[in-house]
Amino acid sequence: MSQQLIINFLGEDKPGLLSAIATSVNDASCNILDSRQAIFGQELSLTMIVEGTQAAITRFELTIPTLCQSLDLLAMMKRTKHHEKQHLAHLINIEFSGKDIQGLLGDVTVFFHEQHASISALRQKTFTNPETKQECVRCKIVLTVPDAVAIKEFIAHTTTFLTSLSLDATITDKHQTTWSD
């Protein structure tokens, strides 16, 4: 029976890191089911879900300390339950701004979770509006939305929600695609 492990690597971005990690996964007879990476300044954050037999996952877990020491990385890992592939069809860009009220970002992120949309990227900045002298917020969010979601209704519902919070918003469906195995 297959086992799965989620692991997050953090460290200075250097050439060959992904290759070395993928080689270690392969050497342990595991597969990478999914991964995401981001670079923040000079730092890399790489999260992946690895699958293999219990013995293979254990082999990979045991190689991580040596791998991290040789690559100057930090790692966190956790065994997890069955990973199901997401069928994503839409990449939605949302930009909004308005008065900064406590709990606003929490309300927005909960709303997207309830709509089955995943936040892929988020930027948020507060500033003082020079005209009104009020504290305001500007936010950019990139969402991935499953193909099972009716996108026109999703956009309309999101617009209504953001308007109810007195936010000015722009929503763009960046692309529609069909992901294959």
Side-chain angles (χ1 to χ4, degrees):
M1 180 174 194
S2 292
Q3 301 278 311
Q4 295 175 347
L5 178 75
I6 293 179
I7 184 160
N8 182 253
F9 293 98
L10 300 168
E12 185 179 348
D13 183 33
K14 297 182 267 194
L17 287 178
L18 187 56
S19 176
I21 293 166
T23 298
S24 293
V25 171
N26 186 56
D27 289 349
S29 299
C30 293
N31 296 310
I32 299 171
L33 295 182
D34 200 356
S35 70
R36 302 280 189 276
Q37 71 180 44
I39 298 176
F40 301 100
Q42 298 298 313
E43 302 301 313
L44 168 83
S45 174
L46 170 65
T47 302
M48 62 176 50
I49 186 165
V50 176
E51 182 177 63
T53 64
Q54 182 172 347
I57 290 291
T58 300
R59 253 191 322 276
F60 179 59
E61 286 173 320
L62 293 172
T63 67
I64 291 171
T66 304
L67 178 68
C68 287
Q69 186 175 19
S70 69
L71 299 174
D72 195 26
L73 296 173
L74 299 174
M76 295 183 298
M77 60 187 149
K78 181 183 184 300
R79 295 237 181 165
T80 187
K81 297 177 183 170
H82 182 68
H83 169 75
E84 291 189 27
K85 181 178 173 185
Q86 291 181 318
H87 297 284
L88 303 174
H90 297 274
L91 186 64
I92 306 293
N93 278 356
I94 298 176
E95 296 185 32
F96 65 81
S97 62
K99 185 177 175 185
D100 188 20
I101 55 174
Q102 188 164 0
L104 175 67
L105 200 51
D107 292 344
V108 170
T109 57
V110 166
F111 171 82
F112 290 134
H113 174 75
E114 290 171 348
Q115 303 305 307
H116 307 287
S118 298
I119 296 174
S120 299
L122 182 141
R123 289 185 182 169
Q124 174 263 336
K125 181 176 182 174
T126 56
F127 63 97
T128 302
N129 183 318
E131 295 172 11
T132 65
K133 307 295 184 216
Q134 288 185 326
E135 284 299 305
C136 294
V137 64
R138 181 177 307 122
C139 193
K140 295 180 180 184
I141 299 175
V142 177
L143 297 174
T144 50
V145 181
D147 58 4
V149 173
I151 201 65
K152 287 182 182 181
E153 288 83 0
F154 173 84
I155 290 172
H157 191 55
T158 300
T159 301
T160 301
F161 172 73
L162 293 173
T163 302
S164 77
L165 297 173
S166 300
L167 297 171
D168 295 320
T170 304
I171 302 172
T172 310
D173 187 357
K174 292 304 283 184
H175 73 273
Q176 183 175 353
T177 185
T178 303
W179 295 90
S180 62
D181 293 328

